[in-house]
Amino acid sequence: MKTTENKTKILVIDDSPVARKLVELPLAQKGYSLIFATNGQDGIDLFEKHRPDVVITDWMMPDLSGQEICQRIRSSSQDSYTYIIVLTGQTDKDSLVEALALGADDYLTKPFHRGELLARVGVGARMAGLQRQIVSKNKQLQELALTDVLTGLPNRRGIEDWAASQLSSAVR
């Protein structure tokens, strides 16, 4: 379990230095790799650069709201999956339902319990790991579907796919 946690990258987006520190302390003790952003735009830029497994974002910030951050992350991460946890001071169910509907996977209300934060981040890390395994297995299955297991050469399906792509290139 410890080795998975050490490889998990977490992006924390919050405009409050106190909130960032409250998130940082328990996660750093567990050995997670942490990246911090002080506003929404920096958070999006860091997300594009590092592609973290888990994003913890404040719902209300001056430049970009948690709503916009969730939408941008979901629209830009077509090739990989990122688990998004929203931190919010609002406890009304409508806000929480809105956050989940807009792409968040989980939420925590402020002030949060340290153990609950660690548990929810652990769930996010497991989900990201499972997603990586699915992508890896799908690539392996795709390769096996197009090659002969004994020789490693393209099988009939692989040759037909190759021929079809060559014919469509020749038509152009």
Side-chain angles (χ1 to χ4, degrees), residues 4 7-8 10-11 16 21 32-34 46 68 78 82 116 138 145 157-158 166:
T4 306
K7 294 179 183 178
T8 302
I10 300 173
L11 172 61
S16 166
K21 195 54 124 175
Y32 289 108
S33 174
L34 300 172
L46 287 171
E68 293 170 307
Q78 303 290 329
T82 300
E116 186 178 8
N138 280 341
R157 182 177 176 186
Q166 292 299 313

Side-chain angles (χ1 to χ4, degrees), residues 26 29 35 77 82 94 105 141 151 154-155 157 167 171:
Q29 287 176 349
I35 306 162
S77 64
T82 300
D94 292 335
D105 295 298
L141 286 172
T151 63
N155 61 14
R157 182 177 176 186
L167 285 173
V171 170

Side-chain angles (χ1 to χ4, degrees), residues 12 28 52 84 88 93 108 144 148 155:
V12 179
I84 301 174
T88 180
K93 293 297 179 191
L108 276 170
L144 288 172
D148 182 75
N155 61 14

Side-chain angles (χ1 to χ4, degrees), residues 32-122:
Y32 289 108
S33 174
L34 300 172
I35 306 162
F36 295 97
T38 57
N39 61 49
Q41 189 56 52
D42 286 347
I44 296 297
D45 295 341
L46 287 171
F47 174 80
E48 292 295 332
K49 182 178 178 184
H50 297 282
R51 292 293 176 170
D53 302 307
V54 178
V55 172
I56 301 173
T57 183
D58 190 7
W59 189 245
M60 299 174 88
M61 287 185 287
D63 62 339
L64 292 176
S65 67
Q67 171 184 359
E68 293 170 307
I69 291 171
C70 286
Q71 290 173 335
R72 287 189 186 185
I73 287 173
R74 289 294 178 234
S75 67
S76 72
S77 64
Q78 303 290 329
D79 56 338
S80 63
Y81 184 76
T82 300
Y83 193 85
I84 301 174
I85 300 173
V86 172
L87 287 177
T88 180
Q90 300 176 350
T91 57
D92 64 311
K93 293 297 179 191
D94 292 335
S95 297
L96 301 176
V97 168
E98 179 186 10
L100 295 171
L102 292 171
D105 295 298
D106 206 348
Y107 66 89
L108 276 170
T109 54
K110 295 178 186 177
F112 55 85
H113 185 268
R114 173 188 175 110
E116 186 178 8
L117 171 69
L118 291 173
R120 291 177 190 254
V121 168

Side-chain angles (χ1 to χ4, degrees), residues 143 145-148 151-167:
E143 185 179 313
L146 299 176
T147 58
D148 182 75
T151 63
L153 297 172
N155 61 14
R156 180 178 176 165
R157 182 177 176 186
I159 292 171
E160 287 175 352
D161 289 351
W162 174 81
S165 69
Q166 292 299 313
L167 285 173

Side-chain angles (χ1 to χ4, degrees), residues 125-151:
R126 281 194 308 275
M127 293 291 286
L130 290 171
Q131 182 64 28
R132 281 192 303 271
Q133 286 179 4
I134 289 171
V135 168
S136 172
K137 296 295 182 187
N138 280 341
K139 286 180 184 176
Q140 186 179 13
L141 286 172
Q142 181 68 28
E143 185 179 313
L144 288 172
L146 299 176
T147 58
D148 182 75
V149 179
L150 294 175
T151 63

